[in-house]
Amino acid sequence: MTEPNPKSESRSTKSPLQAPKGTRDFYPKDCAWRQYIVDAWRRVSIRNGFEQVDGPIFELLDLYKVKSGEGIVSELFHFQDRGERDLAIRPEFTPTLARMVAAQANSLPKPIKWFCTPNLCRAEKPQRGRLREFWQWNADVLGSDLAIADAEVIFVAVDFLQEMGLSPQQVRVKISHRQTVRHILSKLGVIDEKMDDAFALLDRRDKVEPIEFTNGAAKLGLDPDRVARFDQICRMKYAAGNLQAMRETIGIGDELSDIEALDKELISFGISEWCEYDLGIVRGLAYYTGTVFELHERTGVERAMAGGGRYDKLIEMFGGPATPAVGFGMGDVVLSNVLMDKGLMPEDVTPRADAFIFGATDLGATKVAALTAQLRRAGLHARFSYKTTRNAGKLLKDAATAKARYAIILDDGVEGGIVQVKNMATGEQVEAQISDLASGLWSH
Ligand code: HAM
């Protein structure tokens, strides 16, 4: 495994049967950490008015061939079932979401605001920030083409970052708009038929040698001056909340109308500080039609933490009525790296016990199971020791490992209904009636 879980308890004992590359085993601490992230995704989604959905872990292969784009299709894990149907493990959730909405679009109240937290698989080369199985939070708004919907999904992503303790000095939302870039390219002389090639070239800009970029641009019909202009526009970054600089560089015609509308809404949501316009953001997925955005950690050492945009044609392509849509996906891998690097990952998020019960005498031991059951029935997280000892110190260590708030020690006093209760934080020990344990003790 190239990228172990950040807080993994796993030891790298060599076994001939290892987990497949690019996957992770989730030992208790790892699972608790993943749950901590998923719980935060869910909490933020719900307070932003999103409803949870899910779909199958595999789909018909064709679903991804419609519009996900070559990048994703080449990374599919696919197989045939016994009926020789071609299937693929989900590499993203958007096609499933579009299929689900297309099937019931007329009966769903608009706007549809859905979230999910599926695990996804892509046969990528495992590297920092990219694995072959990961968890991804999706939040999508369907049924509105207003810029306020684009701004709302960006707000949801920012709301989550804030929830995790991140600041606009640490993470940036980089926004572009495919229509704006289309206008600029067309003004520079790229014809409509060459637009997709131009977007693909833009997407590869930082991955290819400058000469390859220039040659590619020449094939689009751009002379060197225009290539330089195109490159310059793509490399500029403009703060959100004040489009003056952008107007001066790009123009004041139709080009900026989409970004202007979005900018107003970002200001209203109070999140301009987190956002900047960067026309070099293209996004690999083929279905985006308008706003596209990515969340990046600002030092630039990590890959994108999240990415999304507007995809107004996908539901129609899946047989539904015309339904504009916008949303994003955020993976758990880069997010965990960023939180760990910034010291924002709590040391231990495994659940802590309310009570840890043990017998200190043979008579005490006979009552351990009954008291444990009584506390559990009362809704408390109660653990107990299978051991009995007169040396309470040893079992108090186990109570501390379980992060118990109280140790309950059963000695011969149980005959009269009395137990010893030790507050693990203060060390204070008092006697208590067994009958009182399920109530009073836990409220403070
Ligand atoms: P995506 O850009 O392919 O978009 O992925 C979004 C995020 O998922 C990435 O920024 C990254 O955090 C995470 N991610 C992607 N691939 C991997 C990987 N191999 N390992 C770990 N994390 C990864 C989509 O998936 C779109 N369907 C998002 C969307 C939803 N657009 C609209 N709605």
Side-chain angles (χ1 to χ4, degrees):
M1 194 167 70
T2 46
E3 188 161 14
N5 273 317
K7 300 238 167 186
S8 181
E9 295 169 303
S10 50
R11 302 277 172 273
S12 54
T13 338
K14 281 274 180 217
S15 146
L17 288 176
Q18 290 181 12
K21 76 170 177 176
T23 65
R24 291 165 287 175
D25 292 330
F26 290 90
Y27 286 79
K29 265 193 177 173
D30 309 318
C31 240
W33 171 244
R34 190 179 80 203
Q35 198 58 43
Y36 172 81
I37 290 180
V38 172
D39 285 349
W41 283 343
R42 185 181 152 79
R43 189 166 62 244
V44 170
S45 303
I46 288 174
R47 74 169 175 236
N48 280 274
F50 287 69
E51 293 177 294
Q52 189 162 11
V53 293
D54 205 349
I57 195 165
F58 58 89
E59 291 272 9
L60 292 175
L61 176 63
D62 281 346
L63 190 79
Y64 304 109
K65 290 193 167 165
V66 178
K67 205 64 190 162
S68 287
E70 209 14 65
I72 283 230
V73 171
S74 66
E75 288 167 352
L76 285 173
F77 282 105
H78 55 91
F79 57 99
Q80 281 194 335
D81 68 5
R82 288 181 201 173
E84 298 192 352
R85 279 170 288 259
D86 288 308
L87 302 168
I89 302 177
R90 58 188 176 190
E92 58 161 338
F93 192 75
T94 312
T96 301
L97 180 100
R99 180 178 63 64
M100 288 168 64
V101 171
Q104 297 197 356
N106 293 329
S107 58
L108 294 166
K110 313 284 179 324
I112 300 161
K113 291 174 61 178
W114 283 355
F115 82 95
C116 59
T117 59
N119 54 336
L120 307 175
C121 289
R122 296 185 190 179
E124 281 200 53
K125 182 166 172 264
Q127 52 195 292
R128 185 169 171 85
R130 291 291 179 267
L131 295 177
R132 291 187 155 195
E133 186 193 26
F134 58 100
W135 271 253
Q136 193 197 59
W137 174 37
N138 284 245
D140 292 86
V141 175
L142 300 102
S144 169
D145 61 3
L146 299 176
I148 195 168
D150 305 45
E152 183 177 18
V153 295
I154 295 174
F155 177 84
V156 174
V158 168
D159 192 19
F160 172 78
L161 298 177
Q162 272 177 316
E163 174 89 4
M164 302 313 272
L166 288 160
S167 70
Q169 285 68 45
Q170 294 169 318
V171 182
R172 196 91 307 199
V173 185
K174 290 169 169 278
I175 305 171
S176 181
H177 198 291
R178 288 212 173 169
Q179 284 308 105
T180 306
V181 176
R182 192 176 278 272
H183 277 303
I184 295 168
L185 287 168
S186 132
K187 249 184 154 179
L188 288 171
V190 177
I191 55 171
D192 273 359
E193 293 73 52
K194 299 258 180 190
M195 236 10 124
D196 285 349
D197 294 343
F199 278 115
L201 179 66
L202 209 50
D203 196 26
R204 291 204 317 276
R205 206 180 67 241
D206 288 329
K207 294 172 203 140
V208 301
E209 295 297 318
I211 182 69
E212 205 180 313
F213 179 72
T214 315
N215 291 343
K219 282 196 198 130
L220 301 172
L222 301 182
D223 60 40
D225 277 358
R226 287 179 172 187
V227 172
R229 173 96 178 114
F230 177 51
D231 194 40
Q232 178 206 8
I233 289 174
C234 292
R235 288 190 193 280
M236 305 276 288
K237 318 265 186 281
Y238 307 91
N242 175 6
L243 294 180
Q244 196 46 40
M246 204 171 181
R247 282 192 200 101
E248 280 161 17
T249 329
I250 294 170
I252 47 165
D254 277 352
E255 297 97 302
L256 288 187
S257 58
D258 293 304
I259 287 186
E260 273 167 351
L262 177 62
D263 198 59
K264 277 202 193 98
E265 302 298 352
L266 294 175
I267 294 172
S268 302
F269 271 114
I271 52 168
S272 314
E273 200 192 353
W274 291 80
C275 303
E276 76 183 9
Y277 300 104
D278 177 344
L279 300 182
I281 295 292
V282 183
R283 310 270 301 126
L285 291 157
Y287 44 67
Y288 293 118
T289 52
T291 306
V292 283
F293 63 92
E294 286 180 355
L295 268 60
H296 286 266
E297 190 278 320
R298 288 195 74 175
T299 62
V301 295
E302 301 287 351
R303 292 164 159 271
M305 291 171 77
R310 183 165 273 290
Y311 49 103
D312 284 347
K313 302 278 182 261
L314 200 60
I315 296 28
E316 234 174 317
M317 266 176 215
F318 286 3
T323 309
V326 59
F328 69 86
M330 176 188 289
D332 65 324
V333 182
V334 177
L335 174 68
S336 301
N337 288 344
V338 170
L339 293 177
M340 195 156 73
D341 286 353
K342 311 273 178 226
L344 292 171
M345 189 141 114
E347 192 44 47
D348 182 1
V349 288
T350 52
R352 60 181 299 204
D354 294 310
F356 186 89
I357 303 159
F358 59 87
T361 62
D362 290 343
L363 181 65
T366 63
K367 305 285 184 198
V368 167
L371 178 57
T372 304
Q374 181 190 330
L375 296 188
R376 287 179 181 174
R377 271 198 294 271
L380 295 166
H381 173 170
R383 300 197 195 183
F384 68 98
S385 177
Y386 292 130
K387 296 180 211 146
T388 305
T389 178
R390 288 192 183 276
N391 176 3
K394 263 194 190 162
L395 293 183
L396 284 172
K397 269 196 194 144
D398 291 352
T401 307
K403 296 181 289 174
R405 292 164 63 201
Y406 294 97
I408 302 184
I409 306 158
L410 275 56
D411 55 19
D412 289 339
V414 292
E415 199 164 15
I418 301 285
V419 295
Q420 307 293 325
V421 177
K422 189 178 182 77
N423 180 322
M424 294 296 291
T426 62
E428 187 193 356
Q429 187 165 321
V430 294
E431 284 190 346
Q433 289 283 339
I434 290 186
S435 52
D436 291 344
L437 284 181
S439 50
L441 195 57
W442 320 101
S443 49
H444 42 82

